Amino acid sequence: MTSAEAATPAAFQITVQPSGRAFSANAGEAILSAAIRSGVGLPYGCKDGACGSCKCKKISGAVHHGEHQSKALTADEEAAGLVLTCCAQPLTDVVLESRQVTDESAYPIKKMPVRVSTLEKKSHDVMQVRLQLPAADTFRYHAGQYIEFILRDGARRAYSMANAPHTQAEAPGVELHIRHMPGGKFTDHVFGAMKEKEILRVEGPFGSFFLREDSDKPIVLLASGTGFAPIKALIEHMQFKGITRPTALYWGGRRPGDLYLHDWVLARAAEMPHLTYVPVVSDAMPEDAWTGRTGFVHQAVMDDFADLSGHQVYACGAPIVVDSARDAYSAQRGLPAEEFYADAFTSEADKHGG
């Protein structure tokens, strides 16, 4: 063995069943990073061990689990052979089970400069930001995916694109819905100093949250707060493609004003006979004069559906909403685990346990 060979880190084969897709991962490399590099689309969300979207079953092999939040992967789940691919590093060849494998190669991940074209407040704490993409660049993505801002210090902030890809033909660029998190370095800037024409740097597309068009199952769309952003993109995409699968949208907020595009949804529901819309408010005040559904948005779905065994669910929003829905729909309404597609919005506090 030469010294160069000795210095080369070991590579392990990762095989994903039942698809049989295989790729190599280097020692010390997260399985998810290797999959993305190889064009194999495993499910994922935050990439930081906080949301649990990338959780899957390890059939064989050994991994180092890496740093992660215990709520994303519990000790009992580790003992049962579950792993978070965004954190797990292979120690041997590994066989995983994941039924949500897609081909990532059609939508290459790229870094690019973008220009802020418009800033429009949609509520007291939600800003609609439109970004102009480089004129000579083709940016392809699935409705529902997200981009990451690369900040000056190298930190990143992820936001889902709220417009479907086809809309770029009329208005080139991407639309984001950014909620103000007071004290947050990036959102304080968005709501304070950010101006139109500002240049930022982004990378994407990321994420496995997009419509599975090879199914004819009815759909439940579940959103809380600005988790509506990728759901909006899905609705636009379905309307554009003429997808008429029965679809029920449940959008939850604390106050009616948190449903910041309520009228937009009503207009789409009027145009799409297969789409029903159920807005849900958890903490309405008397002055809101709210006469609609109240309580937790994931519970509203439970109240309306006795059986979800034949459905697909697409959920996006706060981790507590997504996690509660995933657990309850599978355990109490018969939803197959592989038919729950989620994008949990994790804040920096979520990612670091604070």
Side-chain angles (χ1 to χ4, degrees):
M1 179 184 294
T2 67
S3 58
E5 289 172 329
T8 302
F12 302 107
Q13 177 161 299
I14 313 298
T15 305
V16 186
Q17 299 294 6
S19 68
R21 296 289 297 276
F23 56 95
S24 65
N26 296 322
E29 181 180 25
I31 291 172
L32 177 63
S33 296
I36 292 173
R37 175 171 53 77
S38 303
V40 176
L42 292 174
Y44 70 97
C46 71
K47 299 189 298 179
D48 284 292
C51 75
S53 295
C54 67
K55 190 184 305 177
C56 61
K57 176 78 172 179
K58 176 170 63 67
I59 298 174
S60 66
V63 303
H64 169 61
H65 284 282
E67 189 174 336
H68 61 273
Q69 295 293 308
S70 59
K71 64 181 176 62
L73 183 71
T74 67
D76 287 346
E77 288 175 325
E78 280 191 25
L82 295 175
V83 300
L84 298 179
T85 61
C86 73
C87 303
Q89 302 164 8
L91 300 174
T92 65
D93 290 348
V94 173
V95 178
L96 301 174
E97 180 181 49
S98 176
R99 298 182 181 276
Q100 296 185 18
V101 180
T102 57
D103 184 3
E104 293 246 319
S105 59
Y107 300 100
I109 295 168
K110 57 177 67 178
K111 293 179 181 176
M112 56 190 168
V114 294
R115 184 189 301 271
V116 177
S117 55
T118 62
L119 293 161
E120 182 181 351
K121 259 192 161 183
K122 290 298 182 182
S123 74
H124 73 283
D125 65 348
V126 175
M127 186 78 76
Q128 182 186 74
V129 180
R130 286 200 63 89
L131 302 175
Q132 179 183 336
L133 304 175
D137 218 340
T138 300
F139 182 55
R140 301 180 64 202
Y141 62 94
H142 291 291
Q145 289 190 295
Y146 67 89
I147 57 172
E148 292 181 344
F149 287 100
I150 306 171
L151 308 187
R152 292 182 184 277
D153 63 359
R156 289 173 176 251
R157 297 294 185 270
Y159 291 95
S160 294
M161 292 170 280
N163 57 317
H166 75 272
T167 62
Q168 294 194 59
E170 301 171 3
V174 296
E175 172 189 329
L176 309 176
H177 300 167
I178 299 179
R179 181 177 298 282
H180 190 199
M181 306 290 287
K185 174 171 57 178
F186 184 68
T187 67
D188 277 355
H189 175 70
V190 171
F191 280 77
M194 182 174 278
K195 298 288 189 294
E196 293 179 0
K197 299 187 178 180
E198 181 173 329
I199 302 295
L200 299 161
R201 192 159 182 80
V202 302
E203 185 176 20
F206 294 112
S208 56
F209 187 74
F210 52 84
L211 186 68
R212 271 50 180 188
E213 297 181 45
D214 57 353
S215 172
D216 60 0
K217 290 184 176 182
I219 297 167
V220 173
L221 303 175
L222 177 70
S224 70
T226 50
F228 176 68
I231 298 294
K232 174 179 177 288
L234 291 186
I235 293 170
E236 288 182 346
H237 178 73
M238 292 174 70
Q239 186 173 29
F240 177 71
K241 295 291 289 288
I243 296 169
T244 57
R245 292 157 60 183
T247 302
L249 165 62
Y250 289 75
W251 186 11
R254 292 184 61 250
R255 304 280 297 276
D258 293 327
L259 309 180
Y260 52 89
L261 286 179
H262 178 70
D263 289 343
W264 183 93
V265 182
L266 290 175
R268 298 294 81 71
E271 297 168 353
M272 303 167 69
H274 62 285
L275 175 65
T276 58
Y277 172 40
V278 182
V280 182
V281 172
S282 62
D283 297 308
M285 301 295 287
E287 59 266 29
D288 294 329
W290 178 252
T291 58
R293 297 280 287 274
T294 58
F296 296 120
V297 66
H298 82 279
Q299 181 62 46
V301 176
M302 300 273 287
D303 294 342
D304 292 352
F305 290 87
D307 182 7
L308 288 170
S309 61
H311 286 68
Q312 288 186 334
V313 174
Y314 295 82
C316 189
I320 189 170
V321 175
V322 172
D323 293 344
S324 298
R326 177 188 287 111
D327 294 344
Y329 298 171
S330 292
Q332 301 176 42
R333 293 295 183 266
L335 179 73
E338 65 270 17
E339 296 289 23
F340 186 90
Y341 303 93
D343 188 2
F345 280 15
T346 51
S347 68
E348 290 307 296
D350 291 324
K351 292 178 182 179
H352 299 104

